[in-house]
């Protein structure tokens, strides 16, 4: 097994469509959090920006993340998100260990 994977995902919705992102996350998050290897799956709204969000994910391994990406609920969520998102999410993978 590989080291834990940490992701920061930047999401921007179309103007005025932020609530659709929140609703989608509220439906999806309990399912994702129950997946094997999910250590964290939390979304935050950017202060003062109702259409911008940051999703923080931590997975036990790259294998757990790959399995997550292949689940039917994620495939469905990814297919539905262009209806309310301004573009693709920006996925940032962090180095496992903090610098200091």
């Amino acid at each position: 097994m590989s080291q834990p994977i940490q992701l920061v995902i930047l999401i921007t919705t179309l103007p005025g469509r932020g609530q659709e992102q929140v609703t989608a996350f509220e439906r999806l998050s309990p399912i994702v959090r129950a997946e094997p290897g999910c250590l964290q799956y939390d979304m935050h709204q950017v202060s003062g920006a109702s259409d911008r969000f940051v999703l923080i994910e931590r997975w036990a391994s790259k294998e757990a993340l790959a399995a997550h990406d292949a689940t039917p609920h994620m495939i469905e969520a990814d297919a539905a998100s262009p209806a309310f998102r301004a573009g693709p999410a920006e996925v940032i993978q962090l180095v496992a260990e903090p610098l200091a």
Side-chain angles (χ1 to χ4, degrees):
M1 279 269 178
S2 62
Q3 291 186 347
I5 303 292
Q6 299 178 73
L7 304 174
V8 175
I9 301 167
L10 309 177
I11 299 167
T12 302
T13 64
L14 294 165
R17 309 283 294 269
Q19 186 56 48
E20 291 174 66
Q21 176 64 58
V22 172
T23 300
F25 183 79
E26 288 172 341
R27 282 193 307 260
L28 189 62
S29 60
I31 300 165
V32 172
R33 289 177 181 140
E35 290 178 38
C38 180
L39 304 175
Q40 181 179 9
Y41 194 74
D42 297 319
M43 189 175 75
H44 300 267
Q45 189 167 29
V46 173
S47 181
S50 62
D51 297 325
R52 294 185 62 209
F53 303 88
V54 176
L55 176 61
I56 301 169
E57 296 187 32
R58 287 188 319 121
W59 294 90
S61 65
K62 66 180 179 182
E63 294 84 3
L65 177 58
H68 160 71
D69 288 339
T71 60
H73 54 270
M74 285 311 301
I75 293 168
E76 181 181 328
D78 288 344
S81 66
F84 53 84
R85 287 192 182 169
E90 180 181 355
V91 179
I92 302 166
Q93 183 172 335
L94 303 178
V95 173
E97 295 299 321
L99 297 175

